[in-house]
Amino acid sequence: MIVTEDVGTVQREAWARGVLPPVEQVRPGLWSIPVPMPRNPLRYVLIYALALPDGLALIDVGWDSEESWRALVDGITETGHHVTDVRYAAVTHLHPDHFGLAPRLREVSGAALAMHGADAALLGHHSPEDATADEQLWNTQLAQLGAPTDILAAARVDLVRLGAGESMDVVLDDGTPLDLPGWDLRAVWTPGHTPGHLTFVDDTHGLMFSGDHMLPRISPNISTVPGELENPLHRYLLSLHATTSMPDGEVLPAHEYRFRGIADRARQLMGHHEERLAEIVDALGVRPESTAWEISQHISWSRPFESMSDRLLRLAVRETHAHLLVLADRGSIRSLGGHPERWTPTP
């Protein structure tokens, strides 16, 4: 384990080399633990362990796999604790790399699990019939966006679900204190990436645990997801704008590496989306009456559109749709309806 207060250097160098960073003590009583995400381009999620008088609290818990569990257990051991010492786990949002190990952690340690209610509601027990209905809903949405038939299959990565009759131990809302002795943490609701995404802010120590709301290098995927936020990019931009008024401090994200400059990074991310919105307006000017899928083929991505996996293509077209909804709200474009739905510039 490395002991350092140098903001993100070790993590940034590991990211650049494509290797897993070490367990790192970033402040007295605060550690970052990298937990692998098998077969995922993000490679790992950063779990944060906070010392309590009688054990540990975690922020996020990691992907549900045996490799991930072993990394979490071993990382906790490096802090001088045992996994059974975990008393509390605050989860930033419902995605599997953040929540996946939560049921196993609660079973092993008895840790209380905390999450925003909007995300917790989506993790409730689902029957096989519910799962089939969900898949049909997702495929219907993708078809409406103009995605070809071969992209529809396996439209959703399965979420880790709570068992029948189970629920979160603590439901957090905007401003809820976490009541962790020795820390001044409160939940800050930052919807967009998911309906109930939370960041956790400690003003006393100058820390912001940002989850996926704010990463140092990339923008999180903001997509239209059936059954979730109707206009997710609008909500995300509002969340970013609110973030610009936070006191500056060290940002501890769930991916990549730690950094400083909360307001600057929020403005960069807002600027990125404004550029993408303008790019979509230009693309529609050249190709009016296009579907979300057709527009996605003619805007820039971090890799060529035609080389993306089916999963990434589904994320891309839903992200394009999220931008179309904002542009329609602004009056820059309008929907022509139809099946699939087509869009055109407003005269």
Side-chain angles (χ1 to χ4, degrees):
M1 179 179 65
I2 290 179
V3 180
T4 178
E5 292 190 15
D6 185 14
V7 179
T9 299
V10 172
Q11 292 175 346
R12 186 167 56 250
E13 291 175 350
W15 180 266
R17 296 199 310 273
V19 299
L20 203 68
V23 175
E24 200 175 349
Q25 182 176 321
V26 300
R27 298 280 183 92
L30 171 61
W31 299 267
S32 66
I33 301 172
V35 172
M37 298 166 58
R39 299 174 301 281
N40 190 294
L42 286 174
R43 303 200 299 268
Y44 57 84
V45 59
L46 292 166
I47 309 305
Y48 297 98
L50 297 83
L52 303 176
D54 63 343
L56 285 178
L58 300 183
I59 294 179
D60 287 336
V61 295
W63 192 272
D64 183 23
S65 75
E66 197 58 40
E67 178 186 359
S68 303
W69 174 253
R70 180 47 50 194
L72 179 63
V73 170
D74 291 348
I76 289 171
T77 300
E78 287 198 50
T79 75
H81 298 82
H82 189 270
V83 68
T84 55
D85 294 330
V86 179
R87 304 287 178 252
Y88 188 98
V91 182
T92 60
H93 62 292
L94 58 80
H95 289 158
D97 49 327
H98 300 262
F99 177 79
L101 287 171
R104 185 170 182 178
L105 176 69
R106 181 161 63 178
E107 180 181 357
V108 169
S109 69
L113 302 180
M115 180 186 276
H116 191 279
D119 275 12
L122 295 167
L123 292 172
H125 179 72
H126 278 204
S127 68
E129 292 78 14
D130 292 331
T132 299
D134 281 350
E135 183 173 343
Q136 291 173 346
L137 183 64
W138 278 55
N139 285 342
T140 297
Q141 184 224 24
L142 284 167
Q144 180 67 357
L145 299 182
T149 303
D150 60 343
I151 300 299
L152 305 189
R156 180 172 187 168
V157 176
D158 287 336
L159 298 175
V160 176
R161 300 289 183 180
L162 296 171
E166 294 184 355
S167 62
M168 302 300 289
D169 301 290
V170 181
V171 176
L172 300 170
D173 203 347
D174 188 39
T176 304
L178 269 58
D179 293 328
L180 301 177
W183 303 94
D184 183 29
L185 281 165
R186 72 181 191 280
V188 177
W189 185 39
T190 49
H193 186 55
T194 68
H197 190 288
L198 291 171
T199 62
F200 301 106
V201 176
D202 186 323
D203 293 320
T204 299
H205 296 91
L207 301 171
M208 175 185 179
F209 299 88
S210 65
D212 283 359
H213 171 65
M214 181 181 293
L215 305 174
R217 194 183 61 89
I218 61 174
S219 172
N221 178 260
I222 309 296
S223 295
T224 51
V225 178
E228 296 188 13
L229 295 171
E230 291 185 2
N231 197 334
L233 181 58
H234 173 71
R235 300 302 299 270
Y236 181 61
L237 293 172
L238 290 176
S239 296
L240 285 174
H241 186 266
T243 305
T244 63
S245 64
M246 289 183 179
D248 198 17
E250 184 174 354
V251 183
L252 290 81
H255 303 287
E256 300 181 336
Y257 44 83
R258 295 180 288 127
F259 64 99
R260 285 193 179 274
I262 292 174
D264 286 346
R265 184 57 182 148
R267 292 188 187 99
Q268 288 172 3
L269 288 164
M270 287 189 290
H272 161 75
H273 285 288
E274 291 301 327
E275 291 173 1
R276 174 48 60 98
L277 290 165
E279 185 181 13
I280 290 173
V281 170
D282 290 343
L284 271 177
V286 176
R287 297 174 178 83
E289 303 186 14
S290 290
T291 65
W293 178 265
E294 290 165 346
I295 297 163
S296 299
Q297 293 177 290
H298 297 287
I299 57 178
S300 58
W301 300 96
S302 60
R303 66 195 71 190
F305 186 81
E306 61 275 8
S307 72
M308 291 185 189
S309 67
D310 287 356
R311 175 181 173 275
L312 290 179
L313 289 171
R314 290 189 285 267
L315 290 173
V317 71
R318 288 179 171 131
E319 184 171 305
T320 298
H321 187 228
H323 286 77
L324 290 167
L325 294 178
V326 168
L327 288 168
D329 277 354
R330 293 181 179 182
S332 301
I333 66 171
R334 61 188 178 93
S335 169
L336 299 174
H339 301 282
E341 185 176 25
R342 295 188 175 275
W343 301 83
T344 201
T346 301

